Amino acid sequence: MAPWSYARPKSGLGLRFGFGVSSVFEGGGMKKRRTKIIKDKKKRGEWAESVFIARAGEEGLAASKPWGDSRSYDCVVGRPGKFVAVQVKCTIARLESGEGYICSVCSSHKPYPPGSFDFVAAYVILEDAWYIIPEREIRGLKSISLCTVGGEAKYEHYREAWSLLRKASETGDSESSAPQSAPEQSAVAPPTSAVGRMATAASYFKRYLERNNIVPGKTEETS
């Protein structure tokens, strides 16, 4: 039996293992069970990064984590030549109103400098909801409100917006996956050798003759 498979018991109960929210199946139905929260903030943040990488994989995005933790971003998404930097955040802190959650988007109580990353991936753990937000939308802020309603729902259109990462990293796109044509070379390439200089001179002479409608070997008749 595979390590992640399970045998359905006679009682009709089965357990599905995964990140975030686990579920118990009862008689063909599904009952949502509260996720066990990691109390240590740093460990919880590291766990959220692993959840992000797993979820990005489900979305067909190649994600990886740079070595060390001194970068201004936690993960990268994309392919060689087109990587997108992502800062991963998570929250379990409810707003005082009870309608939504507050999520920190700063470092050491200070906003991130512009250009520190490309996107924030904010995970509301108790709702199992991801927000993929461009860096410019949270620039200069220390915290944002998520899973909100009404006038506070400023970031709801970024909920589960994985397509933004896909577009930015150019992965999963049929056009980007096709072989790229070689860039057009300029009409006059800088010569790098004696042969190159001779070729450049010959090309210039040819264009000169064509521009002035001169046929080699013939002289222009005089009146």
Side-chain angles (χ1 to χ4, degrees):
M1 180 180 293
W4 291 99
S5 64
Y6 68 90
R8 190 178 183 87
K10 295 181 180 180
S11 61
L13 295 178
L15 183 62
R16 183 182 70 183
F17 296 95
F19 294 108
V21 177
S22 57
S23 304
V24 176
F25 295 84
E26 299 180 347
M30 184 174 70
K31 182 179 179 181
K32 187 175 180 180
R33 190 174 68 180
R34 183 181 294 275
T35 302
K36 183 178 180 180
I37 303 299
I38 301 173
K39 294 183 179 181
D40 184 272
K41 289 185 178 180
K42 183 174 179 59
K43 292 181 179 179
R44 187 164 67 236
E46 294 171 346
W47 169 81
E49 292 171 16
S50 67
V51 177
F52 170 80
I53 292 177
R55 182 58 191 278
E58 293 176 3
E59 295 292 331
L61 297 166
S64 58
K65 180 171 174 57
W67 177 260
D69 58 359
S70 60
R71 304 290 184 180
S72 59
Y73 50 89
D74 297 313
C75 300
V76 292
V77 173
R79 56 181 174 78
K82 191 63 176 180
F83 285 114
V84 177
V86 179
Q87 173 64 231
V88 179
K89 296 292 184 180
C90 66
T91 181
I92 57 174
R94 293 183 181 274
L95 294 170
E96 292 183 0
S97 62
E99 298 182 349
Y101 300 79
I102 186 169
C103 182
S104 171
V105 290
C106 63
S107 176
S108 301
H109 305 289
K110 295 180 180 180
Y112 285 97
S116 297
F117 43 82
D118 299 307
F119 288 88
V120 163
Y123 186 37
V124 182
I125 297 175
L126 298 178
E127 303 296 332
D128 190 27
W130 281 96
Y131 288 78
I132 310 299
I133 307 173
E135 181 269 340
R136 64 177 181 275
E137 296 294 326
I138 58 91
R139 188 173 298 171
L141 301 179
K142 292 184 178 181
S143 63
I144 57 177
S145 299
L146 302 173
C147 288
T148 50
V149 296
E152 297 294 329
K154 182 178 179 180
Y155 301 98
E156 284 307 302
H157 57 293
Y158 291 117
R159 186 166 180 164
E160 305 298 341
W162 298 94
S163 60
L164 294 180
L165 288 179
R166 186 174 296 108
K167 182 178 180 181
S169 61
E170 297 181 358
T171 56
D173 186 353
S174 59
E175 294 183 359
S176 64
S177 60
Q180 299 294 319
S181 58
E184 294 184 3
Q185 295 182 352
S186 59
V188 181
T192 58
S193 65
V195 176
R197 290 192 293 271
M198 290 175 63
T200 301
S203 178
Y204 172 79
F205 184 65
K206 181 181 178 181
R207 292 196 305 272
Y208 173 81
L209 294 178
E210 293 174 347
R211 185 168 58 250
N212 292 278
N213 195 25
I214 299 175
V215 180
K218 291 186 179 181
T219 58
E220 186 176 347
E221 296 182 358
T222 58
S223 56

